[in-house]
Amino acid sequence: EAGVAQSPRYKIIEKRQSVAFWCNPISGHATLYWYQQILGQGPKLLIQFQNNGVVDDSQLPKDRFSAERLKGVDSTLKIQPAKLEDSAVYLCASSRGQGANYGYTFGSGTRLTVV
Amino acid sequence: GQSLEQPSEVTAVEGAIVQINCTYQTSGFYGLSWYQQHDGGAPTFLSYNGLDGLEETGRFSSFLSRSDSYGYLLLQELQMKDSASYFCAVRAHSGNTPLVFGKGTRLSVIA
């Protein structure tokens, strides 16, 4: 099966600019996650979708970050305006279900550098 | 909240066995998972332990002791390609909540 697709692979922007990332999960995977991974750390959850509904966005900095999954398939994560501390890899993951034994399949991520 | 502790770095010799430990503190517990991530790559799922005991998948095994809030990943017959970061992760509040990851253990396999 095809993996989780993400684009762009790399992005460099100046602080206060906006940026958007795109993710297409594995076909049939109802659950989609966006994680932020700062260099040398583990992934940190930003938002979880179940189909087109938000399940958990408690750690999403909503003053600058937004995400949507309008048709329950692909998803977009946006940052506006970006700050230097947003420099990180943004990982999208999907899973077949929400159950505890379902492993995640991650995309290759988008490496964001804010200068 | 949840917290996971794992060593930041481990070095081992090719062909040897290495164990990466993970201790966790959570308000609830719904399983311990392990992921591997090569530099510049995506994390990939290795194993899941929902119950106490050992799960084996080829050269990799994972162990869980819920009473000790402790688990480990065991890698046998180490190969150079096993050099990567390894993350333990837990679900805390329910089986449907997203994974919380540790900071990762960077494994270096040397000849």
Side-chain angles (χ1 to χ4, degrees):
Chain A
E1 62 182 2
V4 175
Q6 288 190 248
S7 66
R9 189 76 174 89
Y10 304 93
K11 190 75 176 178
I12 301 174
I13 62 172
E14 295 183 350
K15 59 184 179 182
R16 292 187 288 275
Q17 285 187 324
S18 63
V19 64
F21 313 126
W22 175 81
C23 171
N24 193 24
I26 291 175
S27 178
H29 280 196
T31 312
L32 184 148
Y33 311 84
W34 284 100
Y35 279 82
Q36 179 194 58
Q37 186 175 26
I38 293 172
L39 185 64
Q41 298 184 20
K44 174 188 169 186
L45 179 77
L46 292 174
I47 190 167
Q48 175 189 357
F49 292 95
Q50 178 68 14
N51 295 310
N52 61 348
V54 175
V55 175
D56 185 342
D57 64 356
S58 58
Q59 298 181 75
L60 187 74
K62 298 181 186 64
D63 58 332
R64 298 185 301 106
F65 286 64
S66 64
E68 60 184 14
R69 193 184 184 199
L70 294 177
K71 296 183 179 178
V73 181
D74 56 348
S75 175
T76 303
L77 176 70
K78 296 179 181 178
I79 307 175
Q80 182 180 8
K83 293 185 175 181
L84 296 176
E85 58 260 36
D86 298 332
S87 294
V89 176
Y90 291 84
L91 295 164
C92 178
S94 69
S95 64
R96 194 180 305 275
Q98 294 187 85
N101 60 331
Y102 286 107
Y104 292 3
T105 301
F106 282 89
S108 296
T110 295
R111 183 176 297 276
L112 174 68
T113 302
V114 182
V115 298
Chain B
Q2 308 92 47
S3 68
L4 298 98
E5 295 290 331
Q6 51 181 130
S8 59
E9 295 183 1
V10 173
T11 300
V13 177
E14 189 178 17
I17 299 172
V18 71
Q19 178 173 313
I20 299 174
N21 298 322
C22 174
T23 58
Y24 57 86
Q25 287 186 317
T26 62
S27 53
F29 180 77
Y30 293 86
L32 181 70
S33 301
W34 288 91
Y35 284 76
Q36 178 193 60
Q37 185 179 32
H38 288 98
D39 286 347
T44 57
F45 173 71
L46 290 178
S47 69
Y48 168 78
N49 293 74
L51 301 174
D52 291 351
L54 192 68
E55 295 284 340
E56 298 180 74
T57 307
R59 293 188 298 114
F60 294 2
S61 303
S62 57
F63 173 82
L64 174 65
S65 170
R66 288 175 294 173
S67 61
D68 295 322
S69 298
Y70 164 75
Y72 65 72
L73 179 69
L74 191 73
L75 296 82
Q76 302 182 74
E77 301 173 16
L78 280 172
Q79 302 176 9
M80 300 300 285
K81 68 179 181 180
D82 297 330
S83 293
S85 292
Y86 293 84
F87 298 90
C88 57
V90 296
R91 279 183 170 87
H93 302 297
S94 77
N96 294 333
T97 54
L99 286 172
V100 175
F101 286 83
K103 293 185 177 181
T105 299
R106 187 172 184 86
L107 171 64
S108 298
V109 180
I110 59 176

